[in-house]
Amino acid sequence: MLRALAVDDERPSLEELLYLLTADPRVGSVEGAGDATEALRRINRALESGPHGPEAVDVVFLDIQMPGLDGLDLARLLTGFARPPLVVFVTAHEDFAVQAFDLKAVDYVLKPVRKERLAEAVRRVVERRTAELRGAAPPIPVHEPDPDQIPVELGGVTRFVAVDDITHVEARGDYARLHTDRGSHLVRIPLSTLEERWRARGFVRIHRRHLVALRHIGELRLDAGTVSVLVGGEELQVSRRHARELRDLLMRRP
């Protein structure tokens, strides 16, 4: 049974989040805080109480944009504690996902919050919490999408992006950012997994951080010994170890 703290400066959003968390049978108790400063005071009491004390908090569901101390600031402060609570960001803004996962967030839920999506976040918290108690790292979830599509979350809705529309992929730790001509999407899949899965579809590694679709390469550029490619209007560096293989593949491309 999780002990949760929900933090949001907008009262209607906070009340909705509290209602949804209270309705989840895996959440034993939940409190609300109207700003990050109030939340920090509550978390300090939890840490003083100890992991099994009456004031303990297992997870914080945290908004990002708040007056004064914002959600990212609070999450950075928590990383300095010996045994901080887990963090799930709940926000209306997609742009902060990379910073959130760099701060070891368990999940990143977009507003308006759907019951099913929040339930998935709670499941991930329970999984991480159980793994920590057992002294093991939680497994990295790997999706098994349709071969021609990949699911992404946008505005709290799961949509499907055609693999053929993806120009290149950028590594973000255990996550990857998919780039298309219409925008980009962060997915919870390591770049190495996508490289193996999409090799037969014409995707090739050009750098430890980048996987590109050969069909979307518009130019190969050589300048003073450096190699780069133009993909979807963006110039990407090609590492030396991948340069020869890439040139050979482009020469054989129909």
Side-chain angles (χ1 to χ4, degrees):
M1 299 292 285
L2 294 174
R3 296 157 296 185
L5 175 65
V7 187
D8 199 314
D9 65 305
E10 297 180 356
R11 191 68 194 179
S13 296
L14 179 59
E15 290 178 351
E16 176 69 9
L17 185 55
L18 289 171
Y19 171 77
L20 292 174
L21 289 171
T22 301
D24 193 307
R26 295 164 296 185
V27 179
S29 63
V30 58
E31 298 179 48
D35 58 53
T37 302
E38 180 185 350
L40 185 58
R41 287 195 293 266
R42 176 63 185 85
I43 293 167
N44 276 322
R45 293 203 308 272
L47 295 175
E48 291 171 359
S49 174
H52 304 294
E55 300 281 347
V57 173
D58 298 311
V59 57
V60 181
F61 290 84
L62 183 59
D63 188 21
I64 288 182
Q65 291 197 327
M66 295 182 287
L69 193 69
D70 67 22
L72 292 173
D73 292 332
L74 177 57
R76 290 190 189 96
L77 289 173
L78 293 181
T79 61
F81 290 90
R83 300 186 66 178
L86 300 175
V87 172
V88 172
F89 285 101
V90 182
T91 176
H93 304 279
E94 185 182 278
D95 299 341
F96 301 104
V98 173
Q99 296 98 305
F101 288 121
D102 284 344
L103 292 168
K104 310 302 182 185
V106 176
D107 208 345
Y108 192 91
V109 179
L110 292 173
K111 297 178 182 178
V113 179
R114 293 181 295 116
K115 178 181 178 181
E116 297 79 8
R117 182 63 185 87
L118 188 63
E120 170 61 16
V122 172
R123 185 196 67 77
R124 292 178 181 178
V125 170
V126 171
E127 182 181 75
R128 177 75 66 85
R129 182 69 175 147
T130 302
E132 288 181 349
L133 292 173
R134 293 175 177 172
I140 298 169
V142 177
H143 302 287
E144 294 296 337
D146 182 305
D148 297 321
Q149 296 180 320
I150 184 166
V152 301
E153 185 170 306
L154 184 63
V157 177
T158 299
R159 299 180 181 178
F160 294 88
V161 174
V163 174
D164 288 344
D165 290 341
I166 298 170
T167 59
H168 61 288
V169 186
E170 182 182 3
R172 293 287 185 175
D174 291 333
Y175 297 77
R177 182 165 288 279
L178 312 177
H179 292 266
T180 72
D181 290 337
R182 293 181 293 277
S184 66
H185 310 277
L186 194 70
V187 294
R188 199 182 179 97
I189 310 176
L191 189 68
S192 57
T193 299
L194 293 178
E195 179 184 11
E196 181 179 350
R197 182 182 298 173
W198 290 347
R199 185 177 293 116
R201 302 184 68 98
F203 282 79
V204 59
R205 193 75 163 256
I206 64 166
H207 191 274
R208 63 182 177 83
R209 290 189 59 197
H210 289 113
L211 184 69
V212 302
L214 288 173
R215 61 185 168 277
H216 287 293
I217 295 178
E219 295 180 11
L220 177 68
R221 298 177 175 179
L222 306 175
D223 183 20
T226 63
V227 182
S228 61
V229 290
L230 191 65
V231 183
E234 185 174 353
E235 187 173 1
L236 302 175
Q237 190 76 26
V238 181
S239 66
R240 290 185 179 180
R241 62 175 295 198
H242 295 104
R244 175 168 293 184
E245 178 189 6
L246 178 62
R247 286 198 298 265
D248 291 344
L249 288 170
L250 289 175
M251 291 294 291
R252 296 198 302 267
R253 184 176 64 173

